[in-house]
Amino acid sequence: MAVLLDAGAHDFEARFSALLGAKRESAEDVDSAVRDIIAEVRSRGDEALCEFTRRFDRFEITPAQLRVTDAEIDAACAECSAETLEALGVARDRIESHHRRQLPQDERYTDALGVELGHRWTAVEAVGLYVPGGTAAYPSSVLMNAIPAKVAGVPRVVMVVPTPDGKLNPLVLAAARLAGVDEIYRVGGAQAVAALAYGTDTIKPVAKIVGPGNAWVAAAKRRVFGVVGIDMIAGPSEVVVVADGDANPEWVAADLLAQAEHDTAAQAILITDSPALAAAVEKAVAHQLAVLPRGNIAGASWAEHGAIILVPDLDAAVPLVDRLAPEHLEIETPDADALAAKIRNAGAIFLGSHTPEAIGDYVGGSNHVLPTARSARFSSVLSVLDFVKRTSILKCSPSSLATLGISAIRLAEAEGLQGHARSVSIRLENA
Amino acid sequence: MAVLLDAGAHDFEARFSALLGAKRESAEDVDSAVRDIIAEVRSRGDEALCEFTRRFDRFEITPAQLRVTDAEIDAACAECSAETLEALGVARDRIESHHRRQLPQDERYTDALGVELGHRWTAVEAVGLYVPGGTAAYPSSVLMNAIPAKVAGVPRVVMVVPTPDGKLNPLVLAAARLAGVDEIYRVGGAQAVAALAYGTDTIKPVAKIVGPGNAWVAAAKRRVFGVVGIDMIAGPSEVVVVADGDANPEWVAADLLAQAEHDTAAQAILITDSPALAAAVEKAVAHQLAVLPRGNIAGASWAEHGAIILVPDLDAAVPLVDRLAPEHLEIETPDADALAAKIRNAGAIFLGSHTPEAIGDYVGGSNHVLPTARSARFSSVLSVLDFVKRTSILKCSPSSLATLGISAIRLAEAEGLQGHARSVSIRLENA
């Protein structure tokens, strides 16, 4: 049973703060082990990769076997059902066409003084994509991470995926091929992150690493940040559903459980102004849980982290949503757009009763890689912008330099940087 | 004396790789001390801030004195010369008008199936700006970090600045006022980063922390990443000047030294196709060093990290620049634009002989916060985009859900997520 909070209750602020601050993941302290793994991969390269793979993924491997071959990808694709491949193709096409709209424009202009300013966007030269192995090996995530990189124009997209006991999910390979991934290596964990960041004989280094992973992968990404770029550190998934009394309680319950089934650490929260809906959803959740294949996981998530929050009116939901900064926000009200416009912090917003979040997970076209753990306060849905970077451009004419130079010289001198001042004044001497 | 590399020499690749890989900063290992400082600030708040300030900045302070008052800012502004304030105002206005052009647009469109897609940009709710104390307290950096945040619409910009022995640079306070900084606290180091990330009674937490700092600040930012957003981890500054035989060697030398005077760990590199220019620049550097007030610093930087690279033609400079991925790139050739178009990795490009990098440091209008230590391979010049975030929007109609639902259900089932499939199929049952 999820907790029930009433925004009108005297202890609401304390209980809501507790909900916000609750730790959903035990922070496994793997940092020093990860430091050692990275050092080993830096010093011993492929040999260390094979050794850690034997130890953690329990199979023998040589450096020559690290890369997944074209023949293996062919064989994997042949194993997948035509129906599933077709659905993956629908997802690929929709994700690609949506992300094509995100390509940013270069700019160049000349201001009133004659100074030319602008910027150029260029693609990152090589990107590493971490794909978790085992139960969390989701082909849809391969599409969501690799397609924006390819649309951005990244020439080299390298996927690493652990294969516990040597087993690989054929759909993950099929998705990688559909998305245009250039190289695939069967290695995971902190060792894979180290290889991508520093390179080995077999795996050339990349400039940026993206993709979710466990505590080891997260700690490794944090450590190599700076050597390479990284995306956000992914935490357990979460949804907030805002709904009024007209919402269908069975649909709302299904949406909450779709989130809860990910992981016992996932979080599903309903915010409503209708006590009747709250009660009906609670009942529907119990009923649906009984027949859900992953009911154990979803039930544990709902009991430990789920919540139903009663608010006096839906406007009162807005500051609560902003404090929760949910990865996914569903607004199941008739005026969903108006309410959405008031929200500052959310990774993705799903509008109206006919947009279950699962559509966005697969075939909506928008990206399902979203900021978790309240990081929507400062970070964004994954996009083409994550795979390009902006170079600033400046060009002075002799006359604009003469005009601006005086102020530059004064500021440089005020900062005690005479060399800076001199690099300007030397050009004005003969002007 | 800087090293001289000839791209035609048999050992060039080895020597260039060594230059690329050379460590310019001794990586002070402060990580465990920083972990303890963060833990102290989380548990004891303001009291810990005051204690660390006493220890590291050597003056007594109470929580009530942490915040810099309006009267103190008034007094600081009164101390600054009218000329310098005027120059700061020129810089402020130019930075602001350039950054206003960076405000991103929301988007919303309906695709052929009737699915509405789009995104909204919202400002980060609160930003912390770290400003180093002591010799590296640069008012220009305050402008460069705070103005983009304010242009983005960040309602609360909080500055922290250490004041060793209680002393504060009045120009830093004047710049903060000009830039619209909302709160200023006289605290620095890892303790300031911890306060910004987790909050204390006096300093409310922010959602993102930007700004340069020493090894302690960098380690603290790395640790709090995820709790808050952070910008890049700044390293020592660097410039690459690409010039041909027509460049003025005195100007090129002045530009190299403007970079070198920052720090003995700074790096200045000249790439040229002209042995005559190389020799003339080397001579001019020696000559100018003798009269430069910070000549000791610049001389050490030039001797330890400087380089002159001879290439057979300027196109051969392009792959070298991309591997160096310099923070600043000056192209002092007549066709600077054409050469710039071939470069993938650079933080900022300064075109032509009349654009010394120092103009960009102060009054060009573009931002001087740039990716260092080869991180231009994956990161960008600071901009308004660093202070906003993108929320993705999705809205299905009953009919578009019915069309797309089949593929979503297939993929959810292929991933073993029946709850996801159910959240779609339950909506199609009565359709």
Side-chain angles (χ1 to χ4, degrees):
Chain A
M1 202 68 107
V3 297
L4 181 68
L5 306 186
D6 185 334
H10 72 281
D11 62 348
F12 175 74
E13 177 52 33
R15 295 187 67 197
F16 184 74
S17 292
L19 185 71
L20 267 184
K23 263 205 136 31
R24 289 191 277 137
E25 274 187 315
S26 60
E28 205 186 336
D29 191 7
V30 296
D31 202 44
S32 67
V34 163
R35 186 192 54 209
D36 296 344
I37 291 171
I38 293 173
E40 288 291 312
V41 172
R42 286 189 73 176
S43 69
R44 297 195 294 122
D46 287 336
E47 196 192 317
L49 289 186
C50 292
E51 192 177 304
F52 289 122
T53 299
R54 274 192 290 276
R55 190 192 309 172
F56 295 119
D57 293 337
R58 301 168 303 277
F59 69 99
E60 289 297 322
I61 191 165
T62 65
Q65 296 166 326
L66 283 169
R67 183 157 178 181
V68 176
T69 65
D70 281 345
E72 288 176 289
I73 304 171
D74 290 341
C77 292
E79 263 188 72
C80 302
S81 83
E83 276 192 345
T84 311
L85 287 179
E86 192 195 326
L88 269 182
V90 169
R92 193 266 316 266
D93 294 347
R94 289 188 58 84
I95 296 164
E96 186 176 318
S97 65
H98 177 66
H99 286 76
R100 285 219 173 278
R101 303 176 70 107
Q102 294 170 355
L103 280 163
Q105 297 296 310
D106 293 350
E107 200 196 25
R108 188 80 173 261
Y109 67 97
T110 304
D111 72 11
L113 291 183
V115 180
E116 288 181 52
L117 297 105
H119 61 256
R120 284 175 53 216
W121 292 97
T122 45
V124 174
E125 60 199 6
V127 165
L129 164 54
Y130 192 93
V131 175
T135 55
Y138 295 136
S140 58
S141 286
V142 175
L143 300 183
M144 293 289 180
N145 280 282
I147 292 171
K150 278 299 176 187
V151 168
V154 174
R156 180 169 167 256
V157 175
V158 182
M159 179 172 127
V160 292
V161 54
T163 60
D165 303 306
K167 291 195 186 67
L168 196 47
N169 179 345
L171 275 173
V172 163
L173 293 186
R177 173 164 289 176
L178 274 172
V181 168
D182 299 285
E183 302 164 24
I184 307 175
Y185 299 94
R186 61 185 105 237
V187 59
Q191 59 273 24
V193 173
L196 289 171
Y198 293 102
T200 68
D201 287 341
T202 301
I203 305 180
K204 297 293 157 237
V206 300
K208 183 161 188 172
I209 302 176
V210 300
N214 60 18
W216 297 70
V217 172
K221 281 168 70 179
R222 192 181 289 272
R223 279 201 168 262
V224 300
F225 172 56
V227 177
V228 294
I230 63 170
D231 60 351
M232 50 202 127
I233 305 280
S237 197
E238 67 232 358
V239 72
V240 169
V241 180
V242 174
D244 63 13
D246 292 334
N248 181 325
E250 292 290 340
W251 296 6
V252 170
D255 296 353
L256 295 170
L257 291 178
Q259 202 59 41
E261 76 171 342
H262 267 294
D263 187 346
T264 55
Q267 182 166 53
I269 295 175
L270 168 65
I271 305 182
T272 182
D273 59 352
S274 163
L277 183 81
V281 167
E282 179 114 52
K283 218 165 127 184
V285 164
H287 168 85
Q288 292 182 25
L289 264 178
V291 295
L292 195 65
R294 293 168 68 96
N296 284 348
I297 294 169
S301 154
W302 181 243
E304 287 164 38
H305 307 296
I308 295 178
I309 302 176
L310 275 172
V311 286
D313 54 68
L314 291 181
D315 271 348
V318 173
L320 303 182
V321 169
D322 276 342
R323 288 172 69 188
L324 287 162
E327 181 188 14
H328 307 102
L329 172 65
E330 291 190 15
I331 306 184
E332 304 200 27
T333 67
D335 60 344
D337 268 284
L339 199 60
K342 298 176 187 169
I343 301 293
R344 185 193 292 270
N345 298 332
I349 304 180
F350 303 84
L351 295 170
S353 285
H354 300 280
T355 319
E357 183 259 306
I359 277 290
D361 280 343
Y362 297 112
V363 291
S366 51
N367 208 293
H368 82 196
V369 181
L370 293 161
T372 55
R374 303 186 63 223
S375 63
R377 290 173 300 130
F378 52 82
S379 59
S380 300
V381 50
L382 191 76
S383 77
V384 167
L385 294 178
D386 292 290
F387 300 101
V388 292
K389 65 247 170 28
R390 223 168 131 272
T391 296
S392 140
I393 309 269
L394 194 64
K395 184 177 190 175
C396 288
S397 58
S399 72
S400 62
L401 181 66
T403 311
L404 282 180
I406 314 301
S407 299
I409 291 167
R410 278 187 194 157
L411 290 172
E413 288 176 345
E415 292 187 350
L417 297 173
Q418 304 293 339
H420 282 59
R422 184 81 186 120
S423 72
V424 176
S425 63
I426 196 171
R427 286 168 160 92
L428 304 183
E429 282 161 8
N430 306 320
Chain B
M1 203 66 106
V3 297
L4 180 69
L5 306 186
D6 185 335
H10 71 281
D11 62 348
F12 176 73
E13 177 53 34
R15 295 186 68 196
F16 185 75
S17 292
L19 184 72
L20 266 185
K23 263 204 138 25
R24 288 190 278 138
E25 275 187 314
S26 60
E28 203 186 337
D29 190 7
V30 296
D31 202 46
S32 68
V34 163
R35 185 191 56 208
D36 294 345
I37 290 171
I38 294 173
E40 288 292 312
V41 172
R42 287 187 74 177
S43 69
R44 297 194 296 122
D46 286 337
E47 198 192 314
L49 289 186
C50 293
E51 192 177 302
F52 289 122
T53 299
R54 272 192 293 274
R55 191 192 309 172
F56 296 118
D57 293 336
R58 301 168 302 277
F59 68 99
E60 289 296 322
I61 191 164
T62 65
Q65 296 166 327
L66 283 169
R67 183 158 177 180
V68 175
T69 65
D70 281 344
E72 288 176 289
I73 304 171
D74 291 340
C77 293
E79 264 188 71
C80 302
S81 83
E83 276 192 345
T84 312
L85 287 179
E86 192 195 326
L88 268 183
V90 169
R92 192 266 315 269
D93 293 347
R94 290 190 56 85
I95 296 164
E96 186 176 318
S97 66
H98 177 67
H99 286 75
R100 284 216 174 281
R101 302 176 71 106
Q102 295 170 354
L103 280 163
Q105 298 296 308
D106 293 350
E107 200 196 24
R108 189 78 173 262
Y109 67 97
T110 305
D111 73 10
L113 291 184
V115 180
E116 288 181 52
L117 297 104
H119 62 255
R120 282 175 54 216
W121 291 96
T122 45
V124 174
E125 61 200 6
V127 165
L129 164 54
Y130 191 94
V131 175
T135 55
Y138 294 136
S140 58
S141 287
V142 175
L143 300 183
M144 293 290 180
N145 279 282
I147 292 171
K150 278 299 177 187
V151 168
V154 174
R156 180 170 166 255
V157 174
V158 182
M159 180 172 127
V160 292
V161 55
T163 60
D165 302 306
K167 291 195 186 68
L168 196 46
N169 179 346
L171 275 174
V172 163
L173 293 187
R177 173 165 287 175
L178 274 173
V181 168
D182 299 285
E183 302 164 23
I184 306 174
Y185 299 95
R186 61 184 106 237
V187 60
Q191 58 274 23
V193 173
L196 290 171
Y198 293 103
T200 68
D201 287 342
T202 301
I203 305 180
K204 297 294 157 234
V206 300
K208 183 161 187 173
I209 302 175
V210 300
N214 61 17
W216 297 69
V217 172
K221 281 168 72 179
R222 192 181 289 272
R223 280 201 166 261
V224 300
F225 171 56
V227 176
V228 294
I230 62 170
D231 60 351
M232 52 202 125
I233 306 281
S237 198
E238 68 231 359
V239 72
V240 169
V241 179
V242 175
D244 63 13
D246 292 333
N248 181 324
E250 292 289 341
W251 296 6
V252 171
D255 296 353
L256 294 170
L257 291 177
Q259 202 59 41
E261 77 170 342
H262 267 296
D263 188 347
T264 55
Q267 182 166 52
I269 295 175
L270 168 65
I271 305 182
T272 182
D273 59 352
S274 162
L277 183 82
V281 168
E282 179 113 51
K283 216 164 130 185
V285 164
H287 168 85
Q288 292 182 26
L289 264 177
V291 295
L292 194 65
R294 293 167 69 94
N296 284 349
I297 294 170
S301 155
W302 180 243
E304 287 165 36
H305 307 297
I308 296 179
I309 302 176
L310 276 172
V311 285
D313 55 68
L314 291 181
D315 271 348
V318 173
L320 303 181
V321 170
D322 277 341
R323 289 171 69 187
L324 287 162
E327 181 188 14
H328 307 103
L329 172 65
E330 290 190 16
I331 306 184
E332 303 200 28
T333 67
D335 60 343
D337 268 284
L339 199 61
K342 298 176 187 169
I343 302 292
R344 186 193 291 273
N345 298 332
I349 303 180
F350 302 85
L351 295 170
S353 284
H354 301 279
T355 319
E357 184 259 307
I359 276 289
D361 279 343
Y362 297 112
V363 292
S366 51
N367 207 293
H368 82 196
V369 181
L370 293 161
T372 55
R374 303 185 63 222
S375 63
R377 291 172 298 129
F378 52 82
S379 59
S380 300
V381 50
L382 192 75
S383 77
V384 167
L385 294 179
D386 291 290
F387 300 102
V388 293
K389 64 246 169 31
R390 225 169 130 270
T391 296
S392 135
I393 309 269
L394 193 66
K395 184 178 189 174
C396 289
S397 58
S399 72
S400 62
L401 181 67
T403 309
L404 282 180
I406 313 301
S407 299
I409 291 168
R410 277 187 194 156
L411 291 172
E413 288 177 345
E415 293 187 351
L417 297 173
Q418 304 293 338
H420 282 60
R422 184 81 186 120
S423 73
V424 177
S425 63
I426 196 172
R427 285 168 161 91
L428 305 182
E429 281 161 9
N430 305 319

